[in-house]
Amino acid sequence: MMDKTKLNFASKAIHVGQEPDEKTGSVIVPLYQTSTYAQKSPGEHLGYEYSRTDNPTRHAYEKCLASLEKAQYCASFASGMAAIHCIVESLNKNVRIVCSDDVYGGTFRLFDKVFSKHGLYFDYLDFSNLSQVEDFFKQHTVDVCWIETPSNPMLKLIDIKSLSQICQDNGVKLVVDNTFASPFIQNPLIQGADMVVHSTTKYIGGHSDVVGGAIMCNDEEWFKKIKFLQNSIGAVPSAFDCWLSLRGLKTLALRMQKHCQNAVEIADFLSSHAKVKQVIYPGLEDHPNHYLVGQQMQGYAGGMLSVNLDLSLEQTKAFLRHLNLFILAESLGGVESLIEHPAIMTHASLPAEKRRALGISDAFVRISVGIEDINDLKQDLEQALSKV
């Protein structure tokens, strides 16, 4: 029988873990909407006991996700934050985690307001400057390095392979949040990362209709801790959530190509607009780490871009109100284009001084470019800008 894990990405997304059902021939993995499973005698079952522990639909989804991220193991969760919580929960007490200075506001909130009270220590560094990181590692005992690349919302790119070598030399575990890139663009594990986390709500689900998270790794011992905590804490996705996310995976390759194609054109369009100060997009040659798009992202710069408008706060709010196709909403990675104001919305949990230091101003907006017709998207931005 063919080893489907050796297929190319688009084929794996459709076939791995998704063999036709043996009993009915169903081409689509069934939705096993059950909480428990019959046992022939005590302890004698068909591989499933209780759906918090495992579920056939979830198992198929995790198997497919693992193959796309080039991982041996995968555990899925009810949200990206639940997945992040589980990773940190798997660590010992009194560990030091060094995190990207530009990290999702929800991750910062969890680290700063929750785990910092429970015997863990957090430092925040600019990981686009690896010499600074290496110096920090030499001066401090660090247990875990936590990064996003591209980061949220400043879209910094971090050299995973080089950082992983620094981590290995200093006995530090490397965790990469790969949400913004998706497994289609980037596979941190083959670049040397120890663990990958996703908010599957975003590009993996892809249709803004399901919330979820996932952890992938090749470390058997660490994964055993993750599985134990997944079952013990119970923040698992429902069978229907897994079914929806697995359906989303089938078109991930096609969607990501279109997201990236549209984002490049939007970035070029806004870069030349009189009411725009700066466009931050890894695909633009003026991006500080543009070279990493070719080196570790297979030439795709992603579907996210951030923009510094040459407007006041009130003018920026007016611009956002005048948009028609770009929906003012949090989240990202869906087929529809979304736009948001990080200082007020997704990154409001960051202290004001930290936002300013990062460059998150009152005229700063983050765009998740969808897969609509590119001319319609450009026209929507133009008409909204013309009204302020």
Side-chain angles (χ1 to χ4, degrees):
M1 182 177 289
M2 176 188 291
D3 181 358
K4 293 180 180 178
T5 62
K6 294 182 179 179
L7 294 170
N8 291 313
F9 189 97
S11 299
K12 287 195 293 187
I14 294 170
H15 293 287
V16 172
Q18 301 168 74
E19 294 76 16
D21 182 60
E22 291 183 0
K23 290 185 178 180
T24 66
S26 173
V27 171
I28 300 301
V29 172
L31 172 59
Y32 287 91
Q33 192 65 47
T34 183
S35 60
T36 192
Y37 306 83
Q39 301 189 19
K40 293 181 180 180
S41 63
E44 185 182 347
H45 51 75
L46 300 176
Y48 300 94
E49 303 170 77
Y50 188 59
S51 277
R52 185 188 69 245
T53 306
D54 210 348
N55 173 285
T57 310
R58 191 169 99 208
H59 180 75
Y61 169 53
E62 290 174 343
K63 185 176 180 180
C64 187
L65 260 184
S67 75
L68 298 181
E69 198 57 275
K70 300 186 186 302
Q72 293 184 50
Y73 311 106
C74 175
S76 58
F77 294 82
S79 70
M81 294 311 303
I84 291 171
H85 179 279
C86 187
I87 295 174
V88 180
E89 196 71 56
S90 72
L91 305 174
N92 297 324
K93 288 185 177 180
N94 302 316
V95 303
R96 183 181 293 276
I97 298 174
V98 176
C99 180
S100 307
D101 62 347
D102 172 27
V103 71
Y104 167 54
T107 302
F108 175 81
R109 180 175 56 229
L110 179 66
F111 289 175
D112 187 61
K113 299 294 190 293
V114 180
F115 278 115
S116 62
K117 298 178 181 179
H118 297 281
L120 289 98
Y121 303 92
F122 297 90
D123 296 283
Y124 298 88
L125 296 179
D126 180 358
F127 277 87
S128 59
N129 184 347
L130 291 185
S131 61
Q132 176 187 335
V133 174
E134 192 166 16
D135 289 342
F136 187 92
F137 284 3
K138 289 177 179 177
Q139 297 170 20
H140 302 83
T141 298
V142 178
D143 300 280
V144 176
C145 176
W146 191 292
I147 67 168
E148 297 173 1
T149 179
S151 65
N152 182 4
M154 301 309 297
L155 299 172
K156 294 179 182 178
L157 299 186
I158 299 170
D159 186 337
I160 299 171
K161 189 173 184 179
S162 296
L163 177 59
S164 69
Q165 187 60 59
I166 295 171
C167 287
Q168 289 170 27
D169 292 344
N170 290 274
V172 178
K173 294 290 188 182
L174 175 58
V175 178
V176 178
D177 187 330
N178 199 32
T179 298
F180 267 36
S182 88
F184 175 75
I185 291 177
Q186 182 172 269
N187 296 125
L189 294 176
I190 65 173
Q191 299 288 334
D194 295 287
M195 189 165 282
V196 172
V197 63
H198 283 271
S199 170
T200 59
T201 309
K202 314 305 192 296
Y203 287 110
I204 286 171
H207 293 77
S208 301
D209 56 7
V210 61
V211 174
I215 297 169
M216 278 78 85
C217 70
N218 292 319
D219 185 326
E220 183 178 6
E221 291 306 310
W222 201 354
F223 186 71
K224 285 179 180 178
K225 294 179 182 179
I226 295 296
K227 282 297 291 182
F228 173 80
L229 290 166
Q230 181 195 42
N231 184 50
S232 299
I233 298 172
V236 296
S238 70
F240 186 49
D241 288 347
C242 293
W243 189 89
L244 284 172
S245 300
L246 187 58
R247 183 182 66 172
L249 281 180
K250 291 176 185 291
T251 59
L252 181 59
L254 286 172
R255 288 187 286 105
M256 290 310 301
Q257 290 176 64
K258 184 62 173 175
H259 282 299
C260 294
Q261 178 185 336
N262 277 358
V264 169
E265 294 206 36
I266 294 296
D268 287 338
F269 168 73
L270 289 175
S271 292
S272 60
H273 200 285
K275 294 180 180 177
V276 173
K277 279 185 181 179
Q278 179 193 26
V279 175
I280 304 171
Y281 181 62
L284 296 177
E285 291 186 3
D286 64 358
H287 189 281
N289 297 108
H290 172 69
Y291 74 96
L292 287 172
V293 172
Q295 183 172 302
Q296 72 183 27
M297 299 173 71
Q298 304 184 80
Y300 293 100
M304 301 297 299
L305 56 94
S306 293
V307 183
N308 275 306
L309 297 168
D310 194 11
L311 303 173
S312 67
L313 174 59
E314 290 308 313
Q315 288 174 319
T316 301
K317 287 181 178 180
F319 160 67
L320 295 171
R321 288 194 298 269
H322 286 304
L323 289 165
N324 295 311
L325 290 183
F326 285 85
I327 301 168
L328 180 61
E330 296 185 4
S331 198
L332 59 107
V335 292
E336 63 288 306
S337 292
L338 302 179
I339 192 167
E340 63 107 3
H341 192 281
I344 297 174
M345 298 167 69
T346 56
H347 288 69
S349 60
L350 292 182
E353 63 274 13
K354 185 172 178 63
R355 291 199 302 268
R356 284 194 294 270
L358 288 171
I360 303 175
S361 69
D362 288 342
F364 183 90
V365 296
R366 190 193 73 182
I367 302 175
S368 173
V369 182
I371 65 172
E372 301 95 335
D373 183 277
I374 188 61
N375 292 316
D376 292 332
L377 294 178
K378 288 180 182 178
Q379 287 172 13
D380 191 35
L381 290 168
E382 178 58 50
Q383 64 83 24
L385 285 168
S386 70
K387 293 177 181 176
V388 296

